[in-house]
Amino acid sequence: MRYWLTFVLSLLASVYGMAAPVLITVELPTVESKKSWHQLKIPTYELIGNTAIAETEESRVGWLRQRGFQPNVIDRQPDLTRFMIVSNYDQVLGLKAIPVWRNAKTVLIKPDSNGKETKKDYKHQARPLNTRPLPDRFWQSIVETRVARRNITADPFVQSVVDQVNSDSIGAVIQRLQAFQTRFVMTDSSAAASAWLKQKLDSLGFAAFYDSFSMDGSWAGNGMERNVIAQQPGAVLPGTELILCGHFDSYSEISPLLSAPGADDNASGIAATIEAARIFRQYSWKHTITYACWSGEEEWMWGSGHYAFKADSQDAKIGAVMNMDMIGYMNDGSYDVCVGYTDSYDYCQWLVDLYLEAAAVYVSGLTVYEQADFISDNTYFSQVGYPAIGTEEYPNAWAGGNPNYHQPTDVYSSLDPVLFTMVARASLATIAVIGISPGSVDGVAAHDVGVGDRLRITWSPSYETDITGYQVCYGRVSGQYTDTMGVAGDSFDIAGLMTDTTYYVTVWAIDTAGRVSPNAVEVTGAPRLLPRAPEYLTAVPVDSGITVAWNANLELDLAGYDVYRKIDGSSYDSLTSLGDTFILDKPLSGAGRYYYKVKARDTDGNYSPFSDTVYCRPITLDQGILLVDETNNWTTGSFPRDAQQDSFYNYILNGYKYEPYEYGSSLQKPVLADFGPYSTVAWLADDYAGLLASGAVNDMRSYLDNGGKLWLAGWKPSGNLHNTVTYPADYTAGDIMYEYFKVDRAELSGSTDSFKTAIGLGGYPSIMVDTLKYPASTLWGKTMRYIEALTPLAGADTIYVMDMRNNGSPYEGRACAVRDSGKTVFFGFPLYFMDREQVKAAVQKVMAEFGEEPLGVTGKPENLEMITSVRLFQNSPNPFSSQTNISYQLPKAGMVSLNIYNIAGQLVKTLVNGNQAAGNYVIKWDRLDSKNSQVSAGVYIY
């Protein structure tokens, strides 16, 4: 008994697991692979280097492989809130949790310890796994190459701004914040510190405001905190923010509630932010400058995350984020700082490069190092697609560079005023360069002219009124431009190029002061003699035809396209020449399979290589029945083998024009093009474990919308359509169960229920479980479990109800099959395990309603069912208390007698005695004899 229970529980767990969410990693090494992945809309939470960390249903893993990806399952039914990302883990001592994924420098862990211990163990090298899917802005940023202005020369205005940075002014703010003793989150001192910061910004002429947020789930407890924000509107581009920021909260490992002065971490960065506000307020800037004092950084960036996520939700424009965190401690006599961004988000590299340039030009004596992975208040900005970097003293405080890190000894007297002044100057210089420069040029594109040595570069003209022209820079190496041309308009032809060679091109705006855009998008182009092969060819079935479409070629001398087609196994023939990027091929026969490919041609008569090939079939609804066999190809265990299922399906559909379609794995998923030629699709999913139908739901909808008819039967079929085995399930408008199968709710019988018979209604024959084919008979004790109880919508017909072996079952008499007359039929139970003769009779009833004629039958006779012999079926329910149903079938018209006898052979009652037409019949017996007296309980023969 113990073994039986253990096995069943394991089996159920494995079945549920196939439909449960899984955490996966996927390698996306190229720009095209990132674009393709993003188009799938799989919730993706991280992109670390080229590794995406995403969540999907396990049943879709094969589907992803079919599309060329190689997902690796790293956790099942994941709780995303438990995962941590640890960067530069080789520098972290005592990594306790076992990594579930790692690359050369980063690990994904699921710690057993609580959040507070994790914070103490991993310090700034750890952060929670992002639990918000990366937005469109992130993917747009990650697939573009953006470069910074190189070799900048000193601008007198920027130098005058930088020279105003004063160590005493910064020091005074640091000491005032230190005087709060602690600024640990959700303490009175934190509230007092934020109030002082608001007052300080107000005194500088700003209308500062609180940006409040809830820290629900923080390791330090739950409560409200607030950022302090001040903004200076831009004169030319007020809709774009440049953010100077740092965090004011502090932490001490010994006593965060009482003694966390946080002079370096991070009164130093906040003081530099206040200093920027003091100086920048005197001038007009093209962009809006935001001065942000974040709270909750020590709790993994709660405050900055709140602001970043809100900006993303409002589609705000943020041109750059300059975060300053721990910029005042020097341990080796060298004035140096590190600058970096989070998680290899290379689209932030231009901002690091600009910082390096600005520091070299405006801050003599400061050495700047690039940091491999910078985790601070810049992190969440970059995760939603905004360019964001951070600065920190070198060597890193968390790596041992500052012995006062997170200690009560982190006080002003341990800092070097020269260092924090120099770092502040470099940070302000970076934002000042952006703030006075023209905005970056949008819409840059490189077009192949088609003559083999020329590219036409176009861009969107700037709407800034002081732009005098543009610089077009190009070369054969990314980021290295050997040629520069001045242009007055919004396009330029680069001539004298090498044929079939890739060139990298940027466009920069120049204003009346001679200032140049701080960054530019790099695009590529290759001059060719021959057109490129057309890309992204698609074929979509329509009524009696196929629409073929593709992306337009960008060659400027393009003349048009030639479309080629083949039918079935024939050779390709030229179908047509046209200038558009689509063709409607019509009328077509549903009997054929059609294949297409396309060539582009230019004005000189040159042809491109062929495109990829696409396949399709039209919607004709004239090819009979498509039998979709969604069963696992079992080779072991208690379930039937695929050959057994095939034999069963062949038997029940024998006599009809039908074509089988094997759907045993996600790689074989049928689509609308597979359905379209057939007037009926019979989708039989008798597989207990597999849930594959969900991948084809949209194709089912389109097929039904185009006039097709669909019969779906199987084990947990509504769960199969939704890729879940969670019951009960309620359906509403817009769901396929509600709109097409007319079902409002589905429930599932349990392990204590045993399905015996589907009792037919409305002329449908009853169908009994075949006792010789009980599934997993040695494990389930010869029971038939997990049958769907359906609640049909008004207007739908219940055609089968359940008869259970256990008469006290709550599912007794519940609907288990419904129909939307002439359109859909839905069976909530599998067919293979039922009596095959009764199933065959049911098939004939379904097909007759759908208008499917048996082979050799013409016209529209009243009864189209194929019945080859007299059959008397087992009554249902059996045993019974008040009434039972007796079913039989007749192959032709004739005299019929149906009698009830007791075990002594005595006639009890005659139920039928007369001529009947061919067909299926169900007769009810209510335990009354020929005298209308109720007979006693016992055994009777009919």
Side-chain angles (χ1 to χ4, degrees):
M1 187 66 173
R2 182 179 302 165
Y3 174 79
W4 177 79
L5 284 172
T6 301
F7 187 90
V8 170
L9 287 173
S10 297
L11 177 61
L12 287 175
S14 67
V15 173
Y16 274 67
M18 293 188 71
V22 292
L23 198 66
I24 61 173
T25 60
V26 178
E27 295 303 312
L28 306 175
T30 65
V31 168
E32 288 305 319
S33 66
K34 292 179 177 68
K35 289 180 178 179
S36 298
W37 178 259
H38 178 46
Q39 290 173 353
L40 297 180
K41 301 301 181 183
I42 303 293
T44 303
Y45 303 103
E46 300 279 352
L47 185 66
I48 303 175
N50 289 321
T51 303
I53 299 177
E55 186 178 32
T56 188
E57 297 291 340
E58 187 163 10
S59 60
R60 298 193 78 190
V61 170
W63 178 80
L64 292 173
R65 291 195 177 102
Q66 181 183 8
R67 280 151 180 78
F69 298 100
Q70 297 299 320
N72 177 42
V73 176
I74 58 176
D75 195 41
R76 286 177 167 81
Q77 295 181 314
D79 178 359
L80 298 180
T81 62
R82 290 191 59 201
F83 287 93
M84 299 287 299
I85 295 212
V86 182
S87 302
N88 302 313
Y89 66 89
D90 56 331
Q91 301 177 27
V92 177
L93 299 178
L95 188 64
K96 295 181 178 180
I98 299 175
V100 296
W101 171 85
R102 71 171 63 200
N103 65 10
K105 68 182 184 69
T106 304
V107 296
L108 178 66
I109 61 175
K110 187 163 63 173
D112 292 328
S113 58
N114 60 42
K116 188 177 294 185
E117 291 174 342
T118 301
K119 173 70 178 177
K120 181 178 179 181
D121 292 340
Y122 304 138
K123 300 185 173 65
H124 269 120
Q125 290 306 94
R127 63 175 177 83
L129 178 75
N130 185 27
T131 58
R132 297 168 180 254
L134 299 170
D136 290 342
R137 180 188 300 98
F138 173 85
W139 293 101
Q140 293 163 3
S141 297
I142 207 74
V143 298
E144 74 177 12
T145 300
R146 190 173 288 270
V147 295
R149 203 168 93 208
R150 299 284 189 176
N151 301 317
I152 64 175
T153 56
D155 185 300
F157 172 75
V158 175
Q159 190 66 64
S160 68
V161 170
V162 168
D163 289 345
Q164 293 180 61
V165 176
N166 183 276
S167 59
D168 291 339
S169 177
I170 296 175
V173 173
I174 295 174
Q175 292 178 76
R176 179 63 188 90
L177 291 173
Q178 174 184 299
F180 287 104
Q181 297 300 316
T182 182
R183 301 182 302 279
F184 189 57
V185 291
M186 294 178 288
T187 62
D188 292 342
S189 294
S190 174
S194 64
W196 183 85
L197 287 168
K198 181 180 182 302
Q199 181 183 23
K200 181 67 174 178
L201 289 166
D202 286 342
S203 71
L204 296 174
F206 297 102
F209 60 92
Y210 295 124
D211 176 37
S212 299
F213 58 92
S214 171
M215 295 184 65
D216 183 17
S218 164
W219 62 265
N222 300 332
M224 294 297 295
E225 260 295 347
R226 58 192 186 185
N227 302 317
V228 182
I229 310 292
Q231 291 185 319
Q232 184 175 351
V236 179
L237 302 169
T240 302
E241 288 182 71
L242 304 178
I243 300 178
L244 281 153
C245 59
H247 73 90
F248 69 84
D249 62 309
S250 61
Y251 174 73
S252 168
E253 294 178 4
I254 295 176
S255 181
L257 295 175
L258 299 175
S259 182
D264 188 36
D265 187 13
N266 179 41
S268 62
I270 282 293
T273 300
I274 299 297
E275 184 71 351
R278 182 185 72 83
I279 299 169
F280 277 29
R281 64 181 176 142
Q282 308 168 72
Y283 307 105
S284 175
W285 305 93
K286 288 192 172 186
H287 308 76
T288 292
I289 310 295
T290 296
Y291 311 96
C293 306
W294 312 119
S295 184
E297 190 273 350
E298 299 292 356
E299 310 296 298
W300 295 310
M301 299 82 68
W302 280 81
S304 55
H306 164 73
Y307 193 94
F309 296 139
K310 182 170 65 174
D312 173 57
S313 68
Q314 297 173 350
D315 199 26
K317 294 183 180 179
I318 298 177
V321 177
M322 180 72 257
N323 177 50
M324 295 168 283
D325 191 352
M326 296 179 288
I327 60 172
Y329 181 81
M330 181 177 65
N331 71 339
D332 58 1
S334 300
Y335 295 108
D336 41 28
V337 67
C338 54
V339 60
Y341 48 87
T342 303
D343 287 340
S344 303
Y345 294 159
D346 292 342
Y347 68 88
C348 300
Q349 183 64 49
W350 73 266
L351 192 51
V352 168
D353 292 340
L354 188 64
Y355 190 97
L356 293 169
E357 289 279 335
V361 171
Y362 295 105
V363 189
S364 176
L366 180 66
T367 302
V368 183
Y369 299 96
E370 287 193 54
Q371 183 168 319
D373 197 359
F374 193 96
I375 300 173
S376 183
D377 285 307
N378 53 287
T379 296
Y380 288 121
F381 286 98
S382 58
Q383 282 193 339
V384 294
Y386 296 122
I389 61 173
T391 61
E392 187 176 63
E393 61 213 22
Y394 180 86
N396 313 96
W398 49 263
N402 184 350
N404 306 306
Y405 173 67
H406 285 178
Q407 300 296 322
T409 54
D410 182 11
V411 294
Y412 180 75
S413 59
S414 68
L415 304 185
D416 188 305
V418 175
L419 178 61
F420 61 62
T421 300
M422 296 175 78
V423 176
R425 286 176 173 172
S427 301
L428 270 64
T430 302
I431 296 301
V433 168
I434 302 173
I436 63 171
S437 300
S440 59
V441 179
D442 296 326
V444 180
H447 307 273
D448 179 12
V449 177
V451 296
D453 68 346
R454 187 176 302 174
L455 292 174
R456 180 165 298 166
I457 312 304
T458 61
W459 55 91
S460 300
S462 173
Y463 60 82
E464 298 178 46
T465 58
D466 61 344
I467 300 301
T468 60
Y470 303 88
Q471 285 182 349
V472 178
C473 303
Y474 59 96
R476 285 184 287 166
V477 178
S478 177
Q480 300 180 25
Y481 312 116
T482 56
D483 295 273
T484 300
M485 305 296 294
V487 182
D490 56 5
S491 68
F492 180 71
D493 279 12
I494 306 175
L497 303 178
M498 298 174 62
T499 302
D500 295 330
T501 300
T502 298
Y503 285 84
Y504 299 85
V505 184
T506 55
V507 180
W508 312 75
I510 305 172
D511 66 13
T512 53
R515 293 169 177 140
V516 181
S517 306
N519 67 78
V521 173
E522 181 184 83
V523 299
T524 60
R528 306 177 190 277
L529 286 172
L530 302 181
R532 292 176 61 90
E535 296 180 326
Y536 303 106
L537 201 66
T538 61
V540 178
V542 296
D543 182 22
S544 300
I546 296 170
T547 298
V548 184
W550 55 93
N551 282 8
N553 278 43
L554 299 179
E555 296 88 357
L556 298 182
D557 65 340
L558 185 73
Y561 306 90
D562 286 5
V563 182
Y564 296 79
R565 182 188 72 184
K566 77 170 184 175
I567 304 174
D568 296 323
S570 64
S571 300
Y572 278 99
D573 291 319
S574 178
L575 180 62
T576 187
S577 296
L578 72 167
D580 289 329
T581 57
F582 72 94
I583 179 176
L584 174 59
D585 191 11
K586 185 177 181 178
L588 299 176
S589 166
R593 288 170 167 79
Y594 297 84
Y595 302 83
Y596 301 87
K597 57 184 179 180
V598 181
K599 281 185 176 182
R601 51 185 166 80
D602 64 20
T603 54
D604 294 325
N606 297 314
Y607 281 87
S608 74
F610 275 115
S611 68
D612 292 337
T613 299
V614 293
Y615 149 79
C616 198
R617 299 180 76 182
I619 298 174
T620 57
L621 308 177
D622 62 359
Q623 297 300 304
I625 304 164
L626 181 69
L627 169 61
V628 179
D629 176 7
E630 187 200 334
T631 53
N632 186 43
N633 296 328
W634 295 100
T635 57
T636 60
S638 304
F639 293 100
R641 306 299 179 254
D642 187 61
Q644 293 174 292
Q645 301 247 12
D646 290 345
S647 175
F648 176 79
Y649 296 148
N650 289 338
Y651 180 79
I652 63 174
L653 280 169
N654 182 39
Y656 290 93
K657 179 183 179 182
Y658 79 96
E659 183 173 341
Y661 188 105
E662 288 286 338
Y663 185 24
S665 74
S666 58
L667 297 176
Q668 300 169 311
K669 182 181 78 71
V671 295
L672 179 59
D674 299 306
F675 301 152
Y678 301 94
S679 49
T680 292
V681 171
W683 189 298
L684 306 182
D686 289 354
D687 184 356
Y688 176 79
L691 297 172
L692 298 174
S694 61
V697 165
N698 289 335
D699 298 279
M700 292 181 189
R701 289 173 176 270
S702 296
Y703 172 69
L704 291 167
D705 290 341
N706 280 279
K709 296 176 286 291
L710 177 59
W711 174 34
L712 193 145
W715 226 324
K716 304 183 290 291
S718 65
N720 191 12
L721 288 171
H722 296 85
N723 197 23
T724 179
V725 287
T726 300
Y727 291 89
D730 294 301
Y731 307 110
T732 57
D735 190 278
I736 189 171
M737 288 293 293
Y738 190 96
E739 288 195 351
Y740 294 89
F741 292 114
K742 305 302 180 183
V743 173
D744 178 66
R745 181 179 174 91
E747 301 167 52
L748 196 68
S749 67
S751 59
T752 60
D753 298 294
S754 181
F755 181 58
K756 184 174 62 174
T757 305
I759 300 176
L761 304 176
Y764 277 81
S766 295
I767 310 173
M768 297 186 64
V769 174
D770 187 335
T771 58
L772 299 179
K773 292 195 294 185
Y774 274 120
S777 59
T778 60
L779 306 172
W780 289 3
K782 294 188 177 181
T783 61
M784 186 68 175
R785 304 177 179 180
Y786 312 123
I787 307 302
E788 284 193 348
L790 308 171
T791 303
L793 292 170
D797 298 321
T798 297
I799 55 178
Y800 282 99
V801 295
M802 295 190 209
D803 176 27
M804 312 299 279
R805 284 173 60 184
N806 50 319
N807 289 329
S809 168
Y811 298 97
E812 179 73 31
R814 295 287 302 277
C816 58
V818 299
R819 69 175 178 179
D820 182 13
S821 182
K823 302 174 185 177
T824 62
V825 174
F826 188 91
F827 280 24
F829 55 91
L831 299 183
Y832 174 82
F833 305 98
M834 313 300 285
D835 181 278
R836 74 172 191 168
E837 296 298 336
Q838 294 171 335
V839 171
K840 187 177 182 72
V843 168
Q844 292 164 359
K845 178 66 174 174
V846 172
M847 295 307 155
E849 289 196 350
F850 281 174
E852 297 293 344
E853 298 180 355
L855 294 172
V857 176
T858 59
K860 293 289 181 181
E862 195 170 300
N863 191 329
L864 298 178
E865 297 153 341
M866 284 198 61
I867 301 173
T868 59
S869 63
V870 175
R871 288 276 291 172
L872 181 61
F873 301 111
Q874 180 66 56
N875 66 302
S876 177
N878 185 36
F880 65 99
S881 57
S882 59
Q883 181 176 283
T884 189
N885 299 287
I886 300 173
S887 304
Y888 58 92
Q889 66 181 28
L890 305 176
K892 60 182 180 180
M895 182 67 183
V896 176
S897 176
L898 176 60
N899 301 309
I900 305 291
Y901 300 89
N902 61 26
I903 57 173
Q906 298 169 322
L907 179 65
V908 175
K909 188 172 185 176
T910 297
L911 299 179
V912 177
N913 186 32
N915 284 297
Q916 287 186 327
N920 293 296
Y921 294 87
V922 179
I923 304 299
K924 299 183 184 298
W925 183 39
D926 52 8
R927 284 184 60 185
L928 300 180
D929 62 15
S930 59
K931 297 179 181 179
N932 286 329
S933 298
Q934 189 173 72
V935 300
S936 61
V939 176
Y940 294 85
I941 300 167
Y942 63 93

